[in-house]
Amino acid sequence: MPVILHSPQIAPLTQAELARWHPVPVAVAVDLGRDAGQIDPAIRPLCPPGRQPRLFGRAVTVRCEAPDFGAVLQALDVIGPGEVLVIDAGGHRDTAMIGDILSGHLRAKGVAGVVVDGAVRDVGTLGGWSDFAVFSRWITPRGPTGADRGAVNLPVVVGGCTVSPGDLIIGDDDGLVALTPAIVRSRIADAEAKLARETAWIAGLAEGKSAAEVFGLPAALRGH
């Protein structure tokens, strides 16, 4: 069966709406609640902490029938600058769905990075790019076989989280989150408020205030 290319109706988001999320860390987004789509922490950033490029962009989704990677190939002509390729390979660990050749092509197109619920390879090259972020569940040297199955731009499940085309993907050293357009619009004020509270906590502790004062804790009972 050939790869199916879907044409979903993706809710528009303005650059201003997206820009407000750019400084929000994944930890703050996830702390907003269960409606923020945390992706399984087992899908990890490729680079060590402090060296991982930040991932930020709207999702182009792919469902692979591993070891076939036909849907990834078809997505190369669909994805655009600033977007994120999200690959649902069902957690398949034995064959990589993408490596340096396809990732290099995506990077040249200005794609922000890839998220793979499955495996990647050529990580020595991928890990040296500061402008292209890679998150994956596995690393393996074995390449894919077959290129004629799968689907592009449909809802997928990646790391236990449903990701739809156009969802905002944010990734950093701590992990990944997928935000629907509705969440992008409705929860940004909450995220900004959390950032402001954290800034106030840091300032209060630096001023020598007690933890009880800074965090508004009730008085602790003293034992004997």
Side-chain angles (χ1 to χ4, degrees):
M1 182 176 180
V3 174
I4 300 173
L5 295 176
H6 295 266
S7 299
Q9 294 295 317
I10 298 174
L13 291 170
T14 68
Q15 288 303 311
E17 288 172 323
L18 292 170
R20 289 178 67 183
W21 279 97
H22 206 275
V24 178
V26 171
V28 169
V30 168
D31 281 350
L32 296 177
R34 294 292 181 182
D35 53 347
Q38 181 181 0
I39 293 173
D40 185 357
I43 299 178
R44 297 298 304 151
L46 181 60
C47 296
R51 289 178 45 202
Q52 174 64 29
R54 178 173 168 82
L55 182 62
F56 188 91
R58 301 190 74 180
V60 171
T61 59
V62 164
R63 179 179 295 158
C64 287
E65 298 180 25
D68 185 291
F69 76 142
V72 176
L73 295 175
Q74 293 288 347
L76 298 180
D77 295 330
V78 174
I79 196 166
E83 295 181 319
V84 176
L85 185 62
V86 178
I87 302 172
D88 170 12
H92 181 80
R93 66 183 294 170
D94 296 329
T95 51
M97 293 293 98
I98 197 166
D100 61 352
I101 294 175
L102 301 190
S103 294
H105 176 72
L106 294 173
R107 180 183 179 220
K109 290 186 69 172
V111 172
V114 297
V115 175
V116 188
D117 194 347
V120 300
R121 68 175 181 176
D122 305 319
V123 295
T125 299
L126 302 184
W129 295 339
S130 62
D131 56 351
F132 188 85
V134 178
F135 289 74
S136 71
R137 187 180 291 275
W138 307 108
I139 297 169
T140 186
R142 188 180 300 279
T145 57
D148 55 7
R149 298 198 303 274
V152 179
N153 265 340
L154 75 168
V156 297
V157 177
V158 173
C161 175
T162 298
V163 179
S164 296
D167 285 356
L168 176 61
I169 307 297
I170 306 176
D172 58 25
D173 289 322
D174 286 332
L176 291 157
V177 66
L179 307 175
T180 67
I183 294 297
V184 167
R185 290 197 177 99
S186 66
R187 302 305 297 276
I188 183 57
D190 296 332
E192 290 171 338
K194 177 71 184 300
L195 286 175
R197 287 196 300 274
E198 290 188 349
T199 299
W201 293 340
I202 293 168
L205 292 170
E207 291 167 5
K209 294 180 180 178
S210 69
E213 184 179 3
V214 169
F215 295 104
L217 304 176
L221 298 176
R222 295 190 178 275
H224 296 289

